[in-house]
Amino acid sequence: MSKVLKIRDLTLRDGQQSSFATRMTQEQIDRCLPYYKDAGFFAMEVWGGAVPDSVMRYLGENPWTRLESIKAAVGDVSKLTALSRGRNLFGYAPYTDEIIEGFCRNSIESGLGIMRIFDCLNDVDNVKSTIKYVKKYGGIADCAVCYTVDPKYPKLSFWDKLRGKKNPALVFTDDYFVGKAKELAALGADMITIKDMSGLIPPQRVSALIKKLKAAVSIPIDFHTHCTPGYGLASVYAAIAAGVDVVDTNCWWFGGGTGAPALELVYLFCQKMGVELGVNMEAVAKINAELQSIRSELNVSVFGKDKPAPKAFNPLTDAVPAEVEAELNRAVKAAQSEDFATLLAAAQAIEAYFGFPAPNKLVQEAEIPGGMYSNMVAQLQALKAEDILPRAMELIPTVRLSAGLPPLVTPTSQIVGAQAVNCALDEKAGRAMYTTKNNQFVNLVKGEYGKTPVAIDPEFRFQICGVREETAYDISKYQRQPNPQLAEAGGVLLAENEKEELLLELFPLVAKPYLTNVKKKAYEATVAASAPAEQEAPAAVDVKQPITGKTVVAPLPGKVIDIKVKVGDTVAPGQEVVLLEAMKMENSITADFGGVVKQILVAVGDNVATDAIILEIGDAAPVAKPAAPATAVTGNKVVAPLPGRVISLKVKVGDAVSAGDEVALLEAMKMENSITSDYSGTVQQICVAEGENIATDAVIMIIG
């Protein structure tokens, strides 16, 4: 067992992402940085994941500025870490080597020390380029092996066994993970992380795995986990006893629950184990003083209310309660004797005493990421189809196995979850499973994300994709994002330097409005500075009128991030009117009735409570029906298999189509769903428009 344990602090990236939806402003982070410089962590994870997207989307801040500001404050005391998705970098699309190299070079020049690189399929081919360019520009390549588990297959009956039926052999064995680590080490990895993104690895498994990894590779081993299902703290204790080199923790106020364990609880254990952390705990206490205030601020801005918090505790100044002392002693003895059941019970008792969130039993039982489950719930609520959740959960193992058993990590967890929902909806509607397919699932099965852990049945691939052979993504077809001149900003380019170009490539939907706004404001400020001063007219006051119509209310507390309609607009039942951010998810708020928007009672950025009135809808003025055509259009109807927004029409009136041709693209459940024709013929009529929100079974077009 190592007598010196290195700590990677996750507070400023994964800690805030897990607990507070990545909403820390630069000002809040700046308050902590002087103390971080004194703390002396081995590493600080501060970038990557959802940070670059969120700081632009929600805070209007520059991601590069965040990284550079932290580097300027901390210097070389701690190695700054970012999390990236191999060839997909921070997004979901595969990028060319040119973009990967530019991204790695700019990241390291801006202060990055360690790039933690993972692939959602554990396909080592997908991380080769990032390893190469990180090392080329002087960074440390931390290669992560994504921990996942095999599905819970149904228990075989006596008759199944008699007929010789067997469940699939286990794939995600210790040998599988060790094999991946050895491949990564051979590619030049400087360290290996066991990345347990769901917190599903129990203490006995991590203890065995670390010992095997230490015997197989000569580079440092890091352990990363979460506490959602209740294993996190015990598994970290087991990893330390097994000789792990680095563990990932959060500072007290951002620890536990959906995040990594609290550093302070690791410190207490290590003291008794005779393990040094090399961290200045006095500086950590000062960080926590700031984080306590920031936690309160984030509770208001993100959730609109206070979330339960652990008891305040400083291990340097507060006496360890007798019951905690007893559990710590029990944990140490259990870790040394490899009594993992006792270790788990002791660790959970310690967390319970301090008031950290209890284990999520549903995630523990289902063995799926908590984020994947909450995604599915939110999707089904938006579809008003919560009743099929049990069936969708049942279908996850089947869908996952058919798709090559991908690890349940972003984005494959979302892809598999959304497709399981689609399959359950198909069943409910009397359609064959996989009638409704999201495009990301099609691309996964086709092979565009890389090699899956198990081979996909060619006949299933043909059913889903129309091809039997695995087909990798063709990088040569990659098209860079357009970079237009902005007339509204004096004709400057949308992206004026390489860093801005990279933002545009990696986050096109977010970076475009962000950069446009930045350039527009700068131009307007220049114009205003050169113009003669004028008396500013007082702003008009928006007086709310008494409510006489029907109201759309918030189904849960959250933050208004987009309003899709304006006063005077006519809305249809089921139409999306507001986008509400809650529990780290974007929730589509729809109208249950049609009419005209009379008044909007919230603004973008407002935090609203459950049942808060968002807008008022009055009766629509009667509209005269157009005269019926002389000859009614007849033919076969292509209908929507689920509610969503039409994002693309692939055909026009008069086009010839064959059965199976894609005719429209529908966005639903944050996935693109390809709508195909069941009929051959000619498009007689198109009944929807791009951008239109449509309901289940809405007629999209008629084919004769």
Side-chain angles (χ1 to χ4, degrees), residues 1 57 67 106 147 169 187 219 281 289 323 366 382 435 447 466 474 548 581 606 610 613:
M1 179 178 65
R57 185 191 297 266
L67 178 59
N106 278 278
Y147 178 82
L187 288 175
I219 53 180
M281 295 300 291
E323 49 265 65
T435 299
D474 187 356
T548 57
E581 197 278 330
D606 283 358
T610 301
I613 299 174

Side-chain angles (χ1 to χ4, degrees), residues 158-175:
F158 171 79
W159 296 110
D160 286 333
K161 294 176 182 177
L162 194 63
R163 288 192 291 265
K165 186 177 179 180
K166 296 181 179 179
N167 279 325
L170 296 180
V171 172
F172 301 111
T173 62
D174 288 352
D175 287 344

Side-chain angles (χ1 to χ4, degrees), residues 421-602:
V421 168
N422 280 344
C423 288
L425 288 169
D426 283 339
E427 277 191 344
K428 186 177 179 180
R431 300 185 294 262
M433 279 184 29
Y434 301 105
T435 299
T436 308
K437 308 180 286 286
N438 68 68
N439 281 8
Q440 288 80 1
F441 184 77
V442 173
N443 293 340
L444 171 64
V445 173
K446 191 176 183 181
E448 293 193 356
Y449 282 86
K451 286 195 174 295
T452 52
V454 301
I456 294 173
D457 182 353
E459 294 308 311
F460 181 77
R461 182 178 286 119
F462 183 77
Q463 176 192 349
I464 301 300
C465 314
V467 296
R468 289 184 172 84
E469 297 298 319
E470 183 179 289
T471 309
Y473 182 85
D474 187 356
I475 291 293
S476 68
K477 295 181 179 179
Y478 182 86
Q479 293 183 336
R480 296 194 69 131
Q481 295 295 320
N483 188 16
Q485 288 184 305
L486 301 176
E488 65 268 43
V492 301
L493 287 172
L494 176 62
E496 296 180 272
N497 54 56
E498 190 179 19
K499 283 188 170 70
E500 290 182 346
E501 289 173 2
L502 286 164
L503 292 180
L504 199 57
E505 293 301 320
L506 270 59
F507 313 99
L509 297 178
V510 179
K512 185 177 179 180
Y514 165 74
L515 291 172
T516 300
N517 189 48
V518 169
K519 304 304 165 66
K520 190 177 173 182
K521 282 185 176 179
Y523 176 68
E524 289 171 349
T526 303
V527 172
S530 61
E534 294 181 4
Q535 186 70 34
E536 188 175 337
V541 178
D542 183 18
V543 179
K544 305 301 183 194
Q545 302 299 318
I547 294 172
T548 57
K550 298 174 180 176
T551 58
V552 176
V553 300
L556 72 174
K559 183 177 181 180
V560 179
I561 57 177
D562 196 11
I563 298 172
K564 302 291 188 178
V565 294
K566 61 184 184 297
V567 173
D569 281 357
T570 300
V571 299
Q575 181 175 333
E576 181 182 58
V577 293
V578 166
L579 204 58
L580 191 70
E581 197 278 330
M583 299 179 292
K584 301 195 294 180
M585 294 291 302
E586 294 181 358
N587 298 269
S588 178
I589 309 302
T590 58
D592 291 330
F593 31 77
V596 175
V597 179
K598 291 181 65 178
Q599 57 177 327
I600 298 170
L601 293 96
V602 297

Side-chain angles (χ1 to χ4, degrees), residues 139-200:
I140 294 171
D142 172 15
C143 295
V145 179
C146 293
Y147 178 82
T148 192
V149 296
D150 290 88
K152 284 186 174 179
Y153 298 111
K155 189 176 180 180
L156 296 174
S157 69
F158 171 79
W159 296 110
D160 286 333
K161 294 176 182 177
L162 194 63
R163 288 192 291 265
K165 186 177 179 180
K166 296 181 179 179
N167 279 325
L170 296 180
V171 172
F172 301 111
T173 62
D174 288 352
D175 287 344
Y176 167 87
F177 296 117
V178 171
K180 292 295 177 183
K182 290 168 74 173
E183 288 182 69
L184 292 167
L187 288 175
D190 297 302
M191 56 189 298
I192 298 291
T193 291
I194 303 170
K195 180 175 164 58
D196 177 26
M197 53 281 167
S198 306
L200 292 176

